[in-house]
Short mmCIF file of all heavy atoms in Angstrom, two decimals:
data_model
loop_
_atom_site.label_atom_id
_atom_site.label_comp_id
_atom_site.label_asym_id
_atom_site.label_seq_id
_atom_site.Cartn_x
_atom_site.Cartn_y
_atom_site.Cartn_z
N GLY A 108 91.17 141.94 62.91
CA GLY A 108 90.28 142.92 63.50
C GLY A 108 90.55 143.07 64.98
O GLY A 108 89.72 143.59 65.71
N ALA A 109 91.73 142.56 65.42
CA ALA A 109 92.06 142.53 66.84
C ALA A 109 90.93 141.83 67.60
O ALA A 109 90.47 140.78 67.17
CB ALA A 109 92.35 143.93 67.36
N CYS A 110 90.44 142.43 68.68
CA CYS A 110 89.41 141.77 69.48
C CYS A 110 88.04 141.74 68.80
O CYS A 110 87.12 141.09 69.29
CB CYS A 110 89.28 142.45 70.84
SG CYS A 110 90.82 142.42 71.79
N SER A 111 87.91 142.42 67.65
CA SER A 111 86.65 142.38 66.91
C SER A 111 86.60 141.23 65.91
O SER A 111 85.60 141.05 65.21
CB SER A 111 86.44 143.70 66.15
OG SER A 111 87.31 143.78 65.03
N THR A 112 87.65 140.42 65.85
CA THR A 112 87.80 139.44 64.78
C THR A 112 86.66 138.42 64.72
O THR A 112 86.24 138.01 63.64
CB THR A 112 89.16 138.72 64.89
OG1 THR A 112 90.19 139.69 64.78
CG2 THR A 112 89.33 137.70 63.78
N MET A 113 86.13 137.99 65.88
CA MET A 113 85.07 136.99 65.84
C MET A 113 83.82 137.53 65.19
O MET A 113 83.20 136.85 64.36
CB MET A 113 84.75 136.48 67.25
CG MET A 113 83.89 135.22 67.24
SD MET A 113 84.77 133.85 66.45
CE MET A 113 83.45 132.75 66.03
N ALA A 114 83.43 138.75 65.51
CA ALA A 114 82.24 139.33 64.87
C ALA A 114 82.50 139.58 63.40
O ALA A 114 81.62 139.37 62.55
CB ALA A 114 81.84 140.62 65.57
N GLU A 115 83.70 140.01 63.06
CA GLU A 115 84.06 140.24 61.66
C GLU A 115 83.98 138.94 60.86
O GLU A 115 83.37 138.88 59.79
CB GLU A 115 85.47 140.82 61.58
CG GLU A 115 85.94 141.13 60.18
CD GLU A 115 87.37 141.67 60.15
OE1 GLU A 115 88.03 141.66 61.21
OE2 GLU A 115 87.83 142.09 59.07
N GLY A 116 84.58 137.88 61.39
CA GLY A 116 84.55 136.59 60.71
C GLY A 116 83.15 136.02 60.62
O GLY A 116 82.75 135.46 59.58
N LEU A 117 82.38 136.14 61.70
CA LEU A 117 81.02 135.63 61.72
C LEU A 117 80.16 136.37 60.70
O LEU A 117 79.35 135.75 59.98
CB LEU A 117 80.44 135.81 63.13
CG LEU A 117 79.11 135.13 63.46
CD1 LEU A 117 79.21 133.62 63.28
CD2 LEU A 117 78.69 135.47 64.88
N ALA A 118 80.33 137.69 60.61
CA ALA A 118 79.57 138.48 59.65
C ALA A 118 79.92 138.11 58.21
O ALA A 118 79.03 138.00 57.35
CB ALA A 118 79.82 139.97 59.89
N LEU A 119 81.19 137.90 57.94
CA LEU A 119 81.61 137.53 56.58
C LEU A 119 81.15 136.12 56.22
O LEU A 119 80.67 135.88 55.10
CB LEU A 119 83.13 137.64 56.46
CG LEU A 119 83.69 139.07 56.44
CD1 LEU A 119 85.19 139.05 56.64
CD2 LEU A 119 83.33 139.77 55.13
N ALA A 120 81.28 135.19 57.16
CA ALA A 120 80.83 133.82 56.90
C ALA A 120 79.33 133.78 56.65
O ALA A 120 78.85 133.07 55.74
CB ALA A 120 81.20 132.92 58.07
N ALA A 121 78.57 134.52 57.44
CA ALA A 121 77.12 134.58 57.24
C ALA A 121 76.78 135.19 55.89
O ALA A 121 75.84 134.74 55.21
CB ALA A 121 76.48 135.39 58.37
N SER A 122 77.53 136.20 55.48
CA SER A 122 77.28 136.84 54.19
C SER A 122 77.52 135.87 53.05
O SER A 122 76.75 135.81 52.08
CB SER A 122 78.18 138.08 54.04
OG SER A 122 77.89 139.05 55.03
N PHE A 123 78.60 135.09 53.14
CA PHE A 123 78.90 134.10 52.10
C PHE A 123 77.80 133.04 52.03
O PHE A 123 77.37 132.65 50.94
CB PHE A 123 80.25 133.44 52.39
CG PHE A 123 81.39 134.05 51.64
CD1 PHE A 123 81.71 135.39 51.82
CD2 PHE A 123 82.15 133.31 50.75
CE1 PHE A 123 82.76 135.98 51.13
CE2 PHE A 123 83.21 133.89 50.06
CZ PHE A 123 83.51 135.23 50.25
N CYS A 124 77.34 132.57 53.19
CA CYS A 124 76.29 131.54 53.21
C CYS A 124 74.96 132.10 52.70
O CYS A 124 74.26 131.45 51.91
CB CYS A 124 76.13 130.98 54.61
SG CYS A 124 77.50 129.94 55.15
N ALA A 125 74.61 133.28 53.15
CA ALA A 125 73.33 133.88 52.75
C ALA A 125 73.29 134.17 51.25
O ALA A 125 72.24 134.09 50.62
CB ALA A 125 73.08 135.17 53.55
N ALA A 126 74.46 134.48 50.68
CA ALA A 126 74.52 134.79 49.24
C ALA A 126 74.65 133.54 48.38
O ALA A 126 74.63 133.62 47.15
CB ALA A 126 75.70 135.72 48.98
N GLY A 127 74.82 132.37 49.02
CA GLY A 127 74.94 131.13 48.27
C GLY A 127 76.35 130.82 47.81
O GLY A 127 76.56 129.92 46.99
N TYR A 128 77.35 131.54 48.33
CA TYR A 128 78.73 131.30 47.92
C TYR A 128 79.39 130.18 48.72
O TYR A 128 80.49 129.74 48.36
CB TYR A 128 79.55 132.58 48.09
CG TYR A 128 79.06 133.74 47.25
CD1 TYR A 128 79.07 135.03 47.77
CD2 TYR A 128 78.59 133.55 45.95
CE1 TYR A 128 78.61 136.11 47.01
CE2 TYR A 128 78.13 134.61 45.19
CZ TYR A 128 78.14 135.89 45.73
OH TYR A 128 77.70 136.94 44.98
N ALA A 129 78.77 129.75 49.80
CA ALA A 129 79.35 128.69 50.63
C ALA A 129 78.25 127.85 51.25
O ALA A 129 77.23 128.38 51.69
CB ALA A 129 80.22 129.28 51.72
N LYS A 130 78.45 126.54 51.25
CA LYS A 130 77.54 125.63 51.96
C LYS A 130 77.99 125.43 53.40
O LYS A 130 77.16 125.16 54.28
CB LYS A 130 77.48 124.29 51.23
CG LYS A 130 76.80 124.36 49.87
CD LYS A 130 76.71 122.98 49.24
CE LYS A 130 75.98 123.05 47.90
NZ LYS A 130 75.90 121.71 47.25
N HIS A 131 79.28 125.53 53.61
CA HIS A 131 79.82 125.44 54.97
C HIS A 131 80.94 126.46 55.09
O HIS A 131 81.94 126.39 54.38
CB HIS A 131 80.38 124.04 55.27
CG HIS A 131 79.35 122.97 55.25
ND1 HIS A 131 79.19 122.11 54.18
CD2 HIS A 131 78.40 122.61 56.16
CE1 HIS A 131 78.20 121.27 54.43
NE2 HIS A 131 77.71 121.54 55.62
N ALA A 132 80.77 127.41 56.00
CA ALA A 132 81.80 128.43 56.24
C ALA A 132 82.08 128.49 57.73
O ALA A 132 81.16 128.42 58.55
CB ALA A 132 81.33 129.78 55.73
N MET A 133 83.34 128.62 58.07
CA MET A 133 83.74 128.65 59.47
C MET A 133 84.35 130.00 59.82
O MET A 133 85.11 130.57 59.04
CB MET A 133 84.75 127.54 59.76
CG MET A 133 85.24 127.49 61.20
SD MET A 133 86.32 126.07 61.53
CE MET A 133 85.10 124.75 61.65
N ALA A 134 83.98 130.50 61.00
CA ALA A 134 84.60 131.70 61.55
C ALA A 134 85.30 131.30 62.83
O ALA A 134 84.71 130.62 63.68
CB ALA A 134 83.55 132.77 61.83
N MET A 135 86.55 131.72 62.99
CA MET A 135 87.27 131.33 64.19
C MET A 135 88.37 132.33 64.51
O MET A 135 88.88 133.03 63.64
CB MET A 135 87.85 129.92 64.04
CG MET A 135 88.84 129.74 62.92
SD MET A 135 89.32 128.01 62.72
CE MET A 135 90.02 127.64 64.31
N THR A 136 88.72 132.38 65.78
CA THR A 136 89.80 133.25 66.23
C THR A 136 90.30 132.79 67.58
O THR A 136 89.71 131.90 68.21
CB THR A 136 89.33 134.73 66.30
OG1 THR A 136 90.46 135.56 66.56
CG2 THR A 136 88.30 134.94 67.39
N SER A 137 91.39 133.40 68.02
CA SER A 137 92.01 132.99 69.29
C SER A 137 92.88 134.12 69.82
O SER A 137 93.18 135.09 69.14
CB SER A 137 92.88 131.75 69.07
OG SER A 137 93.96 132.05 68.19
N SER A 138 93.30 133.96 71.06
CA SER A 138 94.33 134.81 71.65
C SER A 138 94.98 134.00 72.78
O SER A 138 94.39 133.07 73.31
CB SER A 138 93.76 136.13 72.19
OG SER A 138 92.72 135.91 73.13
N HIS A 139 96.20 134.37 73.12
CA HIS A 139 96.93 133.70 74.19
C HIS A 139 97.56 134.79 75.05
O HIS A 139 98.29 135.65 74.54
CB HIS A 139 98.00 132.77 73.63
CG HIS A 139 98.57 131.82 74.63
ND1 HIS A 139 99.36 132.22 75.69
CD2 HIS A 139 98.46 130.45 74.75
CE1 HIS A 139 99.72 131.17 76.40
NE2 HIS A 139 99.19 130.09 75.85
N PHE A 140 97.28 134.76 76.35
CA PHE A 140 97.77 135.81 77.24
C PHE A 140 99.27 136.03 77.10
O PHE A 140 99.74 137.16 76.92
CB PHE A 140 97.42 135.46 78.70
CG PHE A 140 98.00 136.43 79.69
CD1 PHE A 140 97.40 137.65 79.93
CD2 PHE A 140 99.17 136.11 80.38
CE1 PHE A 140 97.95 138.54 80.84
CE2 PHE A 140 99.72 137.00 81.29
CZ PHE A 140 99.10 138.23 81.52
N CYS A 141 100.03 134.97 77.18
CA CYS A 141 101.49 135.11 77.19
C CYS A 141 102.02 135.59 75.84
O CYS A 141 102.93 136.42 75.78
CB CYS A 141 102.14 133.79 77.57
SG CYS A 141 101.73 133.23 79.24
N ALA A 142 101.47 135.09 74.75
CA ALA A 142 101.90 135.53 73.43
C ALA A 142 101.59 137.00 73.21
O ALA A 142 102.39 137.75 72.65
CB ALA A 142 101.24 134.67 72.35
#
Side-chain angles (χ1 to χ4, degrees):
C110 300
S111 73
T112 300
M113 193 63 199
E115 182 182 7
L117 191 60
L119 288 167
S122 298
F123 264 60
C124 289
Y128 299 141
K130 291 183 178 179
H131 296 102
M133 179 175 283
M135 61 187 300
T136 188
S137 64
S138 56
H139 194 291
F140 174 80
C141 297

